[in-house]
Amino acid sequence: MQLVKVGLCAFGMSGKVFHTPFLKEHPGFFISAIVERSKEESKEKYPEAQIYRSVEEMLENADIELVVVNTPVQTHFEYAKMALEAGKNVVVEKPFTVNVAEAEELAKLAEEKKLFVSVYQNRRFDRDYLQVQKIINEGKLGNIKEVEIRFDRFRTEPSGKAHKENPEAVGSGSLHDLGSHLVDQAVQYFGFPEKLFADVFSMKGKEFANDYFEIILFYPNDLRVRLKSSVFTKEAHFAYAVHGEKGSFLQERTDNQENELVTGAVPEYGEEWTKPLTETDGILNYLNENKETERILTSSEPGNYMNYYQQIYEFIVFGYALPSPAEEIIKNMKIIDAAAESSKQEKVIYL
């Protein structure tokens, strides 16, 4: 089996939870290098990886083919560009960059170098997202008219992470953080919208980056898609509400991969590794072919973030489709940039 050597730009929460567990268990990858500026925490689980004290040092000395840029978003452009110029393929954590201009420059550079940039849109592999996609594709709801996708939390106290909460840090706040997931899901379901209107601000006060947003995406055929997030949501809403001409579908956000990984779960290659649901997590209410109402409690199938790295491997080795390529995620960045501008100007922005 062809082995792809990988270097990680950081070993914080993202590296420990979302990347190294899958790279370690996938037989096609070898974690060759990890950047830890002062600690050596990776040695316990990944002793085979050489520790470097800076991204520059790793790129200069490590024998690697793929670089994972999993540092704060304000550094994504700098490190991804550095890796591309060093002749490395790149996986970038979401959000891709802080604005469209940076994203476009990286995509152009990758094309010139005949390399790839993929953005780690792991929520495409959540069980709840996949269940909604399945229901939409089945067509039981008819023409979709209204959709709401939410990603709420109850985090009313500051986290102390300046790159996420300092309003002066470009790219900080929920719009770029959680918004990058919701925007991506909307575009995957329905494509690129015609225009949008957004309300973005900080519920915790102006001294913090935005922690609330509501974006209304306008599509042809009078479809409206609302994306919403708040950190003052103690009681959960349905994360997805899809309403069509023939019925409705409500889906809870039940994917638990992140929580299981945090507690030390090991994702098995080629196997479903998450714990099964013990209850239903969705409601399908629609008119069947006889125009009779059917109301069904549904259960979503397990998701698996390993599938992201499986697709990366298949692209490198077999030339299959690249997951979430830079050119695709640029569309998401355009929506995020437009949402910030819409909120600032308090008007509809045409895309």
Side-chain angles (χ1 to χ4, degrees):
M1 193 173 194
Q2 182 176 330
L3 206 57
V4 177
K5 293 183 179 180
V6 186
L8 271 77
C9 290
F11 195 63
M13 187 269 194
S14 171
K16 295 173 183 176
V17 172
F18 292 117
H19 297 286
T20 49
F22 298 98
L23 292 166
K24 173 73 171 180
E25 297 304 316
H26 193 294
F29 292 102
F30 178 76
I31 304 173
S32 182
I34 297 175
V35 175
E36 291 194 73
R37 297 191 179 278
S38 58
K39 302 178 182 179
E40 295 190 353
E41 293 181 334
S42 62
K43 269 192 177 299
E44 181 180 350
K45 288 188 175 181
Y46 312 101
E48 68 280 3
Q50 176 69 42
I51 293 176
Y52 292 92
R53 295 309 185 188
S54 70
V55 175
E56 293 87 343
E57 182 188 12
M58 180 181 73
L59 292 174
E60 184 177 342
N61 297 309
D63 178 20
I64 51 178
E65 179 180 350
L66 177 65
V67 172
V68 178
V69 178
N70 57 323
T71 50
V73 61
Q74 292 82 10
T75 64
H76 284 186
F77 174 75
E78 175 188 359
Y79 291 150
K81 183 177 181 180
M82 198 181 297
L84 290 169
E85 289 176 337
K88 315 297 184 184
N89 293 304
V90 177
V91 165
V92 184
E93 257 289 358
K94 64 82 203 167
F96 186 5
T97 56
V98 300
N99 57 46
V100 172
E102 289 186 350
E104 290 178 333
E105 185 173 338
L106 290 177
K108 182 181 178 181
L109 179 59
E111 184 178 8
E112 291 172 353
K113 296 282 188 178
K114 293 183 171 52
L115 299 166
F116 73 77
V117 175
S118 171
V119 181
Y120 186 67
Q121 295 290 165
N122 62 309
R123 297 293 174 181
R124 294 186 187 184
F125 303 93
D126 277 358
R127 66 186 307 143
D128 34 72
Y129 164 78
L130 293 170
Q131 177 73 351
V132 173
Q133 188 175 58
K134 175 186 173 184
I135 295 295
I136 292 173
N137 291 343
E138 286 176 349
K140 292 179 180 178
L141 303 181
N143 290 327
I144 307 300
K145 290 296 184 181
E146 181 189 5
V147 176
E148 181 172 89
I149 309 175
R150 304 182 65 115
F151 202 139
D152 296 312
R153 289 169 170 164
F154 188 69
R155 295 182 178 176
T156 60
E157 297 297 323
S159 70
K161 296 179 180 179
H163 68 277
K164 287 191 173 185
E165 293 191 331
N166 180 0
E168 302 300 321
V170 181
S172 63
S174 291
L175 178 61
H176 279 78
D177 184 20
L178 297 180
S180 63
H181 288 310
L182 300 192
V183 167
D184 184 69
Q185 292 183 350
V187 172
Q188 288 300 298
Y189 289 149
F190 305 110
F192 197 65
E194 294 179 330
K195 56 186 178 180
L196 63 79
F197 180 79
D199 179 25
V200 184
F201 72 102
S202 173
M203 286 185 164
K204 289 197 291 289
K206 293 183 179 180
E207 65 270 29
F208 298 100
N210 65 80
D211 56 20
Y212 169 94
F213 65 81
E214 181 171 6
I215 308 170
I216 302 175
L217 304 177
F218 298 78
Y219 285 89
N221 302 319
D222 297 326
L223 167 64
R224 298 288 185 272
V225 178
R226 180 178 291 102
L227 311 177
K228 193 169 182 180
S229 179
S230 167
V231 293
F232 282 81
T233 307
K234 182 67 171 172
E235 187 69 26
H237 301 266
F238 279 100
Y240 306 80
V242 185
H243 306 289
E245 292 177 329
K246 296 181 180 179
S248 298
F249 180 64
L250 305 178
Q251 172 67 44
E252 297 177 43
R253 188 173 299 283
T254 52
D255 194 279
N256 204 39
Q257 290 181 81
E258 179 177 345
N259 292 333
E260 291 188 40
L261 289 163
V262 167
T263 59
V266 177
E268 297 179 39
Y269 176 73
E271 301 288 341
E272 293 178 359
W273 58 273
T274 55
K275 296 176 183 176
L277 288 180
T278 56
E279 300 177 351
T280 58
D281 62 344
I283 302 171
L284 176 61
N285 191 331
Y286 74 107
L287 298 174
N288 63 23
E289 294 178 354
N290 298 321
K291 295 187 177 180
E292 299 170 335
T293 295
E294 290 194 34
R295 189 177 188 275
I296 305 168
L297 299 181
T298 61
S299 295
S300 58
E301 296 297 320
N304 195 343
Y305 297 157
M306 181 69 82
N307 291 336
Y308 172 82
Y309 274 112
Q310 176 64 18
Q311 290 178 19
I312 289 289
Y313 185 79
E314 290 175 349
F315 175 80
I316 293 173
V317 176
F318 305 116
Y320 294 173
L322 180 69
S324 45
E327 295 79 7
E328 184 177 284
I329 307 304
I330 286 171
K331 296 178 181 179
N332 297 356
M333 296 302 304
K334 288 181 178 179
I335 292 173
I336 290 172
D337 279 10
E341 189 64 21
S342 172
S343 182
K344 182 180 178 181
Q345 296 191 25
E346 298 182 345
K347 70 175 187 179
V348 171
I349 300 293
Y350 285 79
L351 299 164

